[in-house]
Structure formats: structure tokens, C-alpha cells
Amino acid sequence: MDTTYLDVDSYLDTLPTPGDSPGTARFQLIVSPTDTAVDDVVWACATSDPRIAQALLTEVQPGDLLRVTGFLTQPDAAAPIHLSVDALEVLAAAPMGALHGMVLDRYGPYRCVFDADTTTVPVFTEHGAWVGEAPNPDAISDLIDAYENGSPH
């Protein structure tokens, strides 16, 4: 079993849930080793620090950029990675408020908000700057290309 102490900056994948005992919480992080979404990995995380558990259960939301510190454990190649968190810092809130009924997705350094009620897709940079609105999901890449090349969009 390999155990490593590390800091990692990653996005909160789902709403944290209370742990098995008081003052604990479980959550999942999207860890991005590259700017390509296909390389993203979801890590199962937990904390037994009551202050961190309280912050996770009341102050964060999916899509928030977090810096977590703790012990990363991978029992063997077939077992999932687990991070036992002993420090937490919110680096940036999700670009939009609570995304009830919506899905936040990432395209490298860009964030897209998918809403089942419309085909249009708002696109932001990871820092919350407005990129534009794609008329449909198939047009997201064209919108991002236009933004990066300074073309009107």
C-alpha cells in the first residue's frame, strides 16, 4: 500500500455528505493532471476534522476550486485512490451560484453550464470571465476557438 502526503488543487465534484461518525464528511474531487477533460480522475475523499467537515457540509458547492492537503492512499493498482484530508482552502467559488437542475462541465480552462431546459450553453473561463453563449453543445469548441483567437463571437 502506497501512502503519500500532498497538496492538490481540484474541483469539488458532488455535494459533500456527512461521514459515518459526527464531525466527519465524505466528498469527491475531480483531479485534472492535464487541461484535457479525458484525463480527469475522481478521488474519493474524507475528513475527520470537525472544522473541515463543517465547512464542507455548509460552505462549498460542486464546481468550487479547492486546495486540499492530506494523505493519499492507493492500496493496490485495482483499488480506488483515497485522500484523507487534514487541511482545506477554497481557492475559487464555482462561476455561477448554486446550479440546481444544471450541470457544470469543463473544457480545459473553460467552464460550461448545461441546463436541460435550453439548448444554449453559457461558457466562462475558469476564473469566471464571460466567454459567450454557444447556441448548442456542438458549438462550444467554435465559441472557445473564437474567444482564444480574439474573433467576434
Side-chain angles (χ1 to χ4, degrees):
M1 174 167 45
D2 292 329
T3 302
T4 306
Y5 193 76
L6 58 80
D7 293 324
V8 65
D9 295 349
S10 54
Y11 293 92
L12 184 63
D13 186 36
T14 58
L15 282 174
T17 58
D20 295 330
S21 59
T24 64
R26 293 181 301 220
F27 57 104
Q28 293 181 327
L29 296 175
I30 300 172
V31 180
S32 304
T34 68
D35 279 340
T36 305
V38 74
D39 295 330
D40 290 355
V41 179
V42 176
W43 286 1
C45 304
T47 185
S48 58
D49 182 317
R51 293 173 298 123
I52 295 173
Q54 179 66 19
L56 285 165
L57 296 172
T58 62
E59 298 173 17
V60 299
Q61 65 180 344
D64 285 355
L65 178 60
L66 307 176
R67 175 170 291 144
V68 295
T69 303
F71 287 97
L72 180 70
T73 304
Q74 186 171 4
D76 59 43
I81 292 173
H82 176 79
L83 182 65
S84 180
V85 175
D86 60 16
L88 169 79
E89 178 183 356
V90 177
L91 299 177
M96 298 185 69
L99 300 171
H100 301 289
M102 299 180 191
V103 174
L104 181 69
D105 198 4
R106 86 187 236 339
Y107 287 73
Y110 298 94
R111 306 297 176 258
C112 304
V113 181
F114 294 93
D115 183 346
D117 295 333
T118 182
T119 59
T120 59
V121 182
V123 180
F124 302 85
T125 67
E126 64 188 338
H127 302 293
W130 177 249
V131 172
E133 189 169 73
N136 59 60
D138 294 333
I140 294 170
S141 294
D142 294 335
L143 178 68
I144 291 171
D145 288 343
Y147 180 79
E148 287 180 348
N149 295 320
S151 304
H153 33 272

